[in-house]
Amino acid sequence: MDLDVQELVLTIVKPLTTDPDSVKIDVVAGEEFTEFHLHVAEQDMGRVIGKQGRIIQAIRTLVYSVPVAGKKIRLLVDK
């Protein structure tokens, strides 16, 4: 199931960036949450976050709507 979420995030984020090859996701499974750490190139941070965080919030809304058994999902953006 984590793979589905990971593929969804990559499908959404890669077209937004100028360097799609640098987009990576690390999955960290905790007790309560499964965290997806999205890594993009520094010059693409603004493109992924958007004005006032609107783009990343829209991505989170889509990702959080994916049903995952047992754990909640977090999507974090890192350099």
Side-chain angles (χ1 to χ4, degrees):
M1 188 60 71
D2 291 345
L3 187 61
D4 294 341
V5 174
Q6 191 171 352
E7 286 299 315
L8 174 64
V9 172
L10 289 174
T11 302
I12 295 170
V13 171
K14 280 189 175 187
L16 297 175
T17 63
T18 58
D19 186 9
D21 294 333
S22 70
V23 178
K24 305 277 186 268
I25 296 180
D26 294 328
V27 181
V28 178
E31 289 182 29
E32 192 175 338
F33 293 96
T34 300
E35 292 184 349
F36 292 86
H37 294 266
L38 175 65
H39 300 278
V40 297
E42 192 168 345
Q43 71 265 19
D44 291 328
M45 289 293 287
R47 291 173 176 266
V48 174
I49 294 172
K51 289 186 179 179
Q52 297 180 346
R54 288 186 180 139
I55 294 175
I56 192 63
Q57 192 56 46
I59 295 169
R60 284 183 176 136
T61 300
L62 287 172
V63 170
Y64 295 169
S65 68
V66 174
V68 177
K71 292 185 180 180
K72 295 180 182 176
I73 297 175
R74 280 190 180 157
L75 177 62
L76 306 167
V77 181
D78 300 325
K79 291 185 204 176

